[in-house]
Amino acid sequence: MTERALKVLWLTSSYPRSPQDSASVFLRYLAEQLSDRGVEVCILAPADGKGRTRAEGKVTVHRFQYFPIALQALAYGSGILPNLRRSPWLWVQVPFFLLSMAYRLLRLIRAEKPSLIHAHWILPQGFIAALAKLSLGIALITTVHGADSFALRGRVMTRIKRFIIAVSDAWTANTDATASAIGLLTSLPKPIVIPMGVDIGLFAGGNPARLRAELPENELVILFVGRLVEKKGCHDLLQGFSLLPSDLRVRTTLWIVGDGDQKARLEGRAKGLGIDHKVCFWGTIPNKDLPDFYAAADLFAAPSVEAASGDTEGQGVVFLEAFAARACVITTRVGGIGHVVTDGVTGRVLEPGRPDILANTIEQLLLDGNERKRLAENAFRRAQEIYDWKCVAAQFEKLYRRVCDSHHNLA
């Protein structure tokens, strides 16, 4: 019997705005893989300018404007929560954001008649989608990615999260740690853990030649990739780099790829530590060019921490990119990272907030190429087995069909 066609409407607060944009680029990869499997995916996401609808690759993206174009600044950049902390006046935009999202969602449900809604991030998307389900009876899946699980705490937020989970037909998390951080009661539905994935072919095919040509011969390279926000731990990385023995540091370069509200502070920190001549801040790099950076690096270091708000890594897609690129990983044991990187097997997982331990481990691995290779090869095999997008998309398609079949039978 032929399976029923699936049309899924995604609701998200972040989606790549161009082919070069890296904002939540993992969602684009997942959407395209689902499209390859015959799932029709349309996406509702905030605009970074005027709202419009267009085909972007294999999916249709509907973008909503929520404030005068010149003032829209809530989404993208460092992310909604960091943006609000940096510029409290942006709270003025929050109700307009929510109302615009809800209005466009209801219009799209009536126009597109999707099989189900898939809300990415429990707040605010899950809340808006839950209200839509209650009013229109449409099936709902909610996915928790990390910041919405770890950072949004307190009695009121916990009650809202429990309401959303109770209303959802199913909910997923990228790691067990992300799911556990919700702190739900046993009476509510159990989470389905489905990780985000990685394009192994893309990240395994990096070419280091151009980037390496600009370095001294035999220079060692430490790479960081990610948003420059508190939870990423770049302050500890700079401190750890400064603690390397001088004879090693003089022949090592630290590349920091990414942007965020802490960039200027980090640049000042590098200068204050006297290492700015050995640190290169690359800014935002198109996702298609990232494989070359991983390929050129001797070590990938991402010493994440728990931010003051409680926010931390739910999974960390950059670790999957490093795995696929056969880059040796050093990270820290916070959030869901320990569910992705296994200490001594697919990388080194250290105590967070300890630049001294980080420096010692960096030194050990930079001086031991065989150990770097062993860890990197193990990580590559792990990526192939678990994190290939084809595998991840198949799990989501199976869940979509199960929820739709159940919802159809109950209707």
Side-chain angles (χ1 to χ4, degrees):
M1 185 174 69
T2 303
E3 291 185 301
R4 290 188 297 124
L6 275 177
K7 178 186 282 190
V8 180
L9 173 56
W10 282 12
L11 190 59
T12 176
S13 57
S14 179
Y15 192 80
R17 294 153 291 179
S18 70
Q20 292 76 38
D21 190 16
S22 58
S24 300
V25 70
F26 56 90
L27 292 182
R28 185 177 69 198
Y29 285 128
L30 176 57
E32 291 179 345
Q33 284 293 328
L34 285 166
S35 296
D36 287 344
R37 299 183 66 85
V39 179
E40 185 178 345
V41 180
C42 56
I43 296 165
L44 178 60
D48 198 23
K50 186 176 181 180
R52 59 183 176 180
T53 297
R54 68 178 186 181
E56 297 184 13
K58 301 175 182 179
V59 303
T60 301
V61 182
H62 306 268
R63 300 195 182 266
F64 64 91
Q65 182 181 339
Y66 55 91
F67 218 65
I69 292 174
L71 298 176
Q72 282 186 150
L74 186 60
Y76 303 108
S78 297
I80 289 180
L81 292 178
N83 289 343
L84 286 170
R85 285 192 292 271
R86 184 185 71 251
S87 304
W89 78 269
L90 289 175
W91 280 103
V92 173
Q93 298 189 13
V94 171
F96 296 97
F97 184 94
L98 298 176
L99 289 171
S100 297
M101 178 184 288
Y103 174 72
R104 285 295 302 274
L105 176 63
L106 293 175
R107 288 193 61 184
L108 280 173
I109 291 172
R110 292 190 173 99
E112 300 288 342
K113 295 179 172 56
S115 309
L116 62 86
I117 302 174
H118 186 175
H120 289 275
W121 288 279
I122 194 169
L123 287 168
Q125 287 75 237
F127 182 72
I128 299 296
L131 296 180
K133 181 192 173 178
L134 291 175
S135 60
L136 300 177
I138 189 169
L140 169 63
I141 294 172
T142 301
T143 288
V144 184
H145 287 283
D148 47 348
S149 178
F150 292 103
L152 300 173
R153 299 177 176 180
R155 183 177 299 177
V156 173
M157 285 298 178
T158 298
R159 288 179 177 176
I160 293 173
K161 291 176 184 179
R162 289 174 176 170
F163 161 75
I164 295 165
I165 296 302
V167 170
S168 300
D169 293 276
W171 70 288
T172 79
N174 50 20
T175 62
D176 288 320
T178 301
S180 297
I182 293 290
L184 296 173
L185 300 172
T186 56
S187 59
L188 292 174
K190 292 183 178 180
I192 300 165
V193 176
I194 306 177
M196 292 297 103
V198 65
D199 186 333
I200 293 176
L202 173 66
F203 283 91
N207 182 356
R210 178 181 62 85
L211 293 168
R212 276 284 178 180
E214 300 175 6
L215 296 172
E217 188 176 359
N218 299 321
E219 184 82 355
L220 295 165
V221 175
I222 303 168
L223 173 68
F224 168 89
V225 177
R227 288 183 296 131
L228 302 186
V229 294
E230 182 185 0
K231 71 177 182 179
K232 298 296 183 178
C234 270
H235 277 81
D236 286 343
L237 180 55
L238 292 173
Q239 183 72 34
F241 184 79
S242 74
L243 295 175
L244 292 176
S246 58
D247 62 332
L248 178 59
R249 192 173 66 246
V250 74
R251 55 191 178 95
T252 304
T253 294
L254 172 59
W255 286 346
I256 296 180
V257 173
D259 207 344
D261 57 20
Q262 288 203 338
K263 184 178 180 181
R265 189 180 306 173
L266 292 168
E267 290 175 331
R269 180 63 172 159
K271 187 173 183 179
L273 291 168
I275 58 173
D276 52 306
H277 63 294
K278 298 297 293 183
V279 181
C280 180
F281 288 86
W282 288 85
T284 301
I285 298 294
N287 199 252
K288 65 179 180 63
D289 295 330
L290 283 179
D292 292 348
F293 282 81
Y294 286 105
D298 296 283
L299 199 58
F300 177 79
S304 298
V305 298
E306 182 177 311
S309 64
D311 189 15
T312 193
E313 294 287 358
Q315 176 185 358
V317 172
V318 291
F319 301 116
L320 311 185
E321 295 173 351
F323 282 9
R326 290 185 170 89
C328 180
V329 169
I330 295 179
T331 185
T332 46
R333 192 173 288 101
V334 294
I337 293 176
H339 296 266
V340 178
V341 185
T342 304
D343 185 40
V345 179
T346 58
R348 292 299 312 276
V349 185
L350 313 176
E351 182 182 348
R354 291 292 303 273
D356 54 335
I357 297 175
L358 177 63
N360 288 338
T361 307
I362 288 174
E363 179 184 2
Q364 291 167 15
L365 288 174
L366 286 180
L367 298 177
D368 190 345
N370 290 330
E371 178 66 357
R372 294 202 308 270
K373 183 177 180 180
R374 181 186 73 84
L375 295 171
E377 289 297 330
N378 288 344
F380 180 74
R381 287 192 291 272
R382 179 74 58 84
Q384 289 180 308
E385 294 166 0
I386 300 176
Y387 297 112
D388 187 279
W389 273 123
K390 292 182 176 61
C391 175
V392 172
Q395 294 177 72
F396 273 107
E397 183 193 4
K398 183 179 179 180
L399 177 60
Y400 288 168
R401 294 196 180 280
R402 179 172 68 78
V403 167
C404 285
D405 288 345
S406 176
H407 196 264
H408 179 76
N409 291 335
L410 291 174

